[in-house]
Amino acid sequence: MKVCLVRPQSVNSLTGVGQDASLPIGLAYLAGSVAAAGYSLQVVDAVGEAISQYMLKDIGRKIILHGLASSQIIDRIDKDADIIGVSCMFSNSWLTDRELIEEIHKAFPAAVIVIGGEHATALPEYILETCSAIQIVILGEGEETFVQLIHAIDVGIDLETIDGIAYRNDKGLIVKNRRRARISDINTIPKPGWDYFNVENYISHAFTHGVNLGRSMSMLMTRGCPHNCAFCSCPDMWTNQWRPRKPELVIEEMKEYIAKYNVTNFDFYDLSAIINREWIIEFCNLLISEELNITWQLPSGVRSELIDAKLAKLIYESGGIRAVSYAPETGSQKEQIRLKKNVSINSIIKSMKSSCSAGLHIKANLIFGFPGQTWSDIVRTALFVIRLAWIGMIEIAPFPYSPYPGSSIFNKLREDKKVELNDQYFLSLLSINDPVQTISYSNRFSSKTIKAIILFMLCEFYFFSFLFRPKRFFILLYQIITNDSSTRITYSLANVRRRWVILKMINKRENVTVNIPHIIYPSSKKIYKDKQVR
């Protein structure tokens, strides 16, 4: 049984400010499990194998595709592949992923095509209804399910016996089996199969999930999140179960990457790493004792109220969280309740203050345009932003709200006919990192108003930040001049500059691939250790 795993091209809008690619850790874990089970495995990573290749494409809106073109991906797939698994983590890439899958099916009509990821988990019936090329959808955590599926296809076991999949049966009917229970001991999951990927391409070109702190490697130390935020698809993907790895195994893996890839920084993709205080304390103490001389960051977010002065100091001493994303989303306590975050604004401020005092580099994610958001919520968030500048927050990241499949708000919007699953909807999801293309799902604020609010919050924050700490203005100016991308704002500017170079070289030629000489952006760790900046 020959298996091929495919990571499609990444997708970004012409005016987006976000990073469009990073190491595909989910697919790497899947590769590790397939290899450990003894099956013949091939991986085609469209981005990693063509890290400097881009093309302009019109799919109802012009987008930039990064990585191997569809024809190049197909040429690399082994001609006798029995199962082709395609990763589709994010719904904003569904249109191009669907097109690729349909082309793969034409080239490999006998192969079983399987899709997995957060998008696949959220919309399995829709995927099977609208893309006949896909036979099977994997739901949620995929390692055990995919290995069992390969075995079932290999020996002819009925698919109805496999938990955690949706599929089209012999009669053409869509069947969704019961969800598989989460893997109880994630320490037993085989390590990511990075040998099947060009890791060095990502590292040397500074394609990282966090900010650019040097040679960075992607890792996980926990899985899942115990919370149930209304705008988040995590509960649908991972359920509400949080699973930590053994701290010593995490550090053992870090040491392997240091030796193999000369890594100096680790980006932990964890959804909510700091849930168990005893666990994170043990991890930090072990890391300090190893004297690895590295930094680590949590760019996805953190459950903030557990970080106090003592814990923040310990994290800093371990090299930790030189860049961490707090995720308050709003400064309104009433909206916190509506969003089911169940976090006290005062406890967030207290935790952030402790982190700033310890020297941690932190930013706050804020979202505007939630259904039900009021002007009162906006005013309270504006006052919250001033408090963030006062306590020493380095930066904020305001985003427009986008309804992602799998979240409870998305389900309500779809129920109320305010979201319709079609190509225009999936195109609209590109707006989350694109301030130009903001789309409103609010019953109070237009797209134009949401853009204005986001711009106001940014200007307000930096005005007060520079007012309270004038030195920061000159530090930021120096970073911009020297292309230092070690903060989120300068890293975003680096991405914008890169996109300008891409568009200039593509010169509006659609469906023509070009190779872009990437600019390597240096990073400075000095900023993080300078307590005077605070």
Side-chain angles (χ1 to χ4, degrees):
M1 185 62 58
K2 293 190 175 181
V3 179
C4 177
L5 296 176
V6 176
R7 191 257 178 96
Q9 293 169 298
S10 67
V11 182
N12 214 325
S13 61
L14 304 189
T15 50
V17 298
Q19 178 62 280
D20 66 82
S22 57
L23 280 162
I25 192 166
L27 200 64
Y29 264 109
L30 206 61
S33 293
V34 173
Y39 293 104
S40 173
L41 175 65
Q42 174 199 18
V43 174
V44 180
D45 176 9
V47 177
E49 293 178 31
I51 202 78
S52 299
Q53 182 172 301
Y54 296 85
M55 67 182 291
L56 187 68
K57 189 177 181 67
D58 194 331
I59 57 173
R61 169 180 168 185
K62 288 185 179 180
I63 57 170
I64 297 175
L65 294 175
H66 180 193
L68 296 170
S70 296
S71 59
Q72 294 173 308
I73 294 172
I74 290 169
D75 287 344
R76 280 167 166 75
I77 298 174
D78 289 342
K79 302 306 177 186
D80 54 352
D82 299 297
I83 299 174
I84 301 174
V86 181
S87 172
C88 185
M89 283 301 297
F90 305 111
S91 296
N92 59 9
S93 67
W94 167 242
L95 298 183
T96 52
D97 289 353
R98 182 184 64 191
E99 184 178 310
L100 169 64
I101 290 167
E102 289 169 346
E103 292 181 30
I104 290 174
H105 180 60
K106 290 177 183 177
F108 299 89
V112 177
I113 297 181
V114 182
I115 187 173
E118 289 211 22
H119 171 73
T121 300
L123 298 172
E125 294 93 347
Y126 173 81
I127 287 171
L128 292 168
E129 288 169 359
T130 58
C131 186
S132 59
I134 297 172
Q135 288 99 319
I136 303 169
V137 177
I138 289 182
L139 311 174
E141 200 169 30
E143 289 88 355
E144 289 183 349
T145 304
F146 192 53
V147 170
Q148 186 181 356
L149 176 63
I150 296 170
H151 175 71
I153 295 172
D154 189 20
V155 302
I157 297 174
D158 198 313
L159 295 182
E160 69 179 11
T161 64
I162 301 175
D163 291 344
I165 64 169
Y167 60 98
R168 198 179 294 103
N169 66 16
D170 295 338
K171 296 179 181 179
L173 300 176
I174 293 174
V175 178
K176 184 178 178 181
N177 293 352
R178 67 178 182 178
R179 285 289 293 266
R180 180 180 296 270
R182 286 283 308 283
I183 299 172
S184 58
D185 184 3
I186 65 172
N187 297 294
T188 62
I189 301 173
K191 291 179 183 177
W194 290 123
D195 289 343
Y196 293 91
F197 298 81
N198 192 331
V199 173
E200 180 58 31
N201 259 355
Y202 288 94
I203 293 176
S204 61
H205 288 82
F207 279 97
T208 172
H209 186 44
V211 295
N212 184 10
L213 296 181
R215 293 181 60 82
S216 299
M217 189 64 188
S218 303
M219 282 187 64
L220 279 174
M221 48 186 167
T222 67
R223 280 191 177 189
C225 177
H227 306 290
N228 196 34
C229 299
F231 56 88
C232 183
S233 62
C234 174
D236 188 57
M237 177 70 184
W238 299 101
T239 72
N240 295 111
Q241 299 174 16
W242 180 78
R243 298 277 191 267
R245 297 172 61 191
K246 291 181 179 179
E248 58 268 27
L249 295 183
V250 177
I251 293 173
E252 179 184 297
E253 187 178 346
M254 294 171 72
K255 291 164 71 174
E256 289 179 15
Y257 297 148
I258 292 170
K260 189 170 186 177
Y261 302 116
N262 193 27
V263 173
T264 58
N265 173 71
F266 291 89
D267 301 334
F268 286 100
Y269 279 42
D270 303 53
L271 296 168
S272 294
I274 304 179
I275 294 295
N276 184 305
R277 185 180 178 83
E278 287 70 30
W279 188 95
I280 195 67
I281 288 174
E282 181 182 357
F283 172 75
C284 290
N285 283 328
L286 285 172
L287 199 54
I288 291 169
S289 67
E290 291 287 345
E291 298 182 347
L292 299 182
N293 192 31
I294 52 89
T295 57
W296 57 277
Q297 52 183 314
L298 290 172
S300 294
V302 61
R303 193 66 184 183
S304 55
E305 62 267 32
L306 284 181
I307 300 181
D308 56 16
K310 181 178 179 181
L311 183 54
K313 183 175 183 294
L314 183 63
I315 290 171
Y316 183 87
E317 290 174 352
S318 73
I321 316 190
R322 290 301 185 261
V324 60
S325 298
Y326 275 74
E329 321 304 356
T330 175
S332 166
Q333 192 64 62
K334 288 184 178 179
E335 193 167 28
Q336 287 277 336
I337 295 170
R338 287 201 303 271
L339 296 176
K340 300 180 181 178
K341 286 193 68 71
N342 299 321
V343 178
S344 162
I345 295 296
N346 288 334
S347 71
I348 292 175
I349 290 290
K350 184 178 180 181
S351 175
M352 289 176 171
K353 188 174 181 180
S354 296
S355 294
C356 289
S357 298
L360 301 181
H361 180 107
I362 64 175
K363 74 177 177 73
N365 294 331
L366 299 169
I367 301 177
F368 298 96
F370 281 118
Q373 191 172 62
T374 66
W375 277 113
S376 175
D377 296 324
I378 299 299
V379 170
R380 291 178 185 278
T381 301
L383 295 174
F384 178 69
V385 166
I386 297 174
R387 294 178 72 186
L388 297 183
W390 172 255
I391 65 173
M393 176 76 65
I394 295 292
E395 51 195 335
I396 64 170
F399 298 101
Y401 169 71
S402 286
Y404 255 74
S407 66
S408 61
I409 294 181
F410 167 83
N411 293 335
K412 184 66 167 61
L413 287 171
R414 194 177 176 195
E415 183 182 302
D416 293 341
K417 309 297 183 185
K418 294 181 180 179
V419 167
E420 182 180 353
L421 291 178
N422 53 31
D423 288 5
Q424 284 303 118
Y425 161 71
F426 291 111
L427 279 175
S428 76
L429 294 179
L430 286 167
S431 66
I432 190 168
N433 284 316
D434 188 343
V436 176
Q437 301 293 336
T438 298
I439 293 174
S440 175
Y441 293 91
S442 168
N443 52 348
R444 287 184 175 86
F445 308 131
S446 66
S447 299
K448 187 176 180 179
T449 301
I450 294 172
K451 291 179 191 177
I453 291 171
I454 289 173
L455 179 60
F456 172 81
M457 295 293 174
L458 276 171
C459 293
E460 177 196 34
F461 174 79
Y462 284 104
F463 172 80
F464 283 102
S465 181
F466 298 151
L467 179 67
F468 298 147
R469 295 170 178 80
K471 184 178 179 181
R472 285 194 178 176
F473 172 79
F474 299 101
I475 291 172
L476 179 59
L477 184 62
Y478 176 79
Q479 287 177 309
I480 293 172
I481 292 172
T482 60
N483 284 338
D484 180 339
S485 54
S486 58
T487 65
R488 178 56 61 185
I489 188 170
T490 54
Y491 193 46
S492 295
L493 289 173
N495 290 327
V496 170
R497 286 194 294 268
R498 177 184 287 167
R499 199 155 293 117
W500 284 345
V501 173
I502 293 167
L503 290 173
K504 185 176 180 180
M505 292 193 68
I506 291 176
N507 196 25
K508 299 181 181 180
R509 294 173 295 170
E510 294 177 18
N511 302 316
V512 176
T513 59
V514 296
N515 286 306
I516 308 297
H518 279 253
I519 303 168
I520 305 301
Y521 299 101
S523 64
S524 171
K525 295 179 184 177
K526 180 182 177 183
I527 278 294
Y528 298 95
K529 297 180 181 297
D530 184 1
K531 292 297 182 67
Q532 295 180 32
V533 177
R534 309 289 156 182

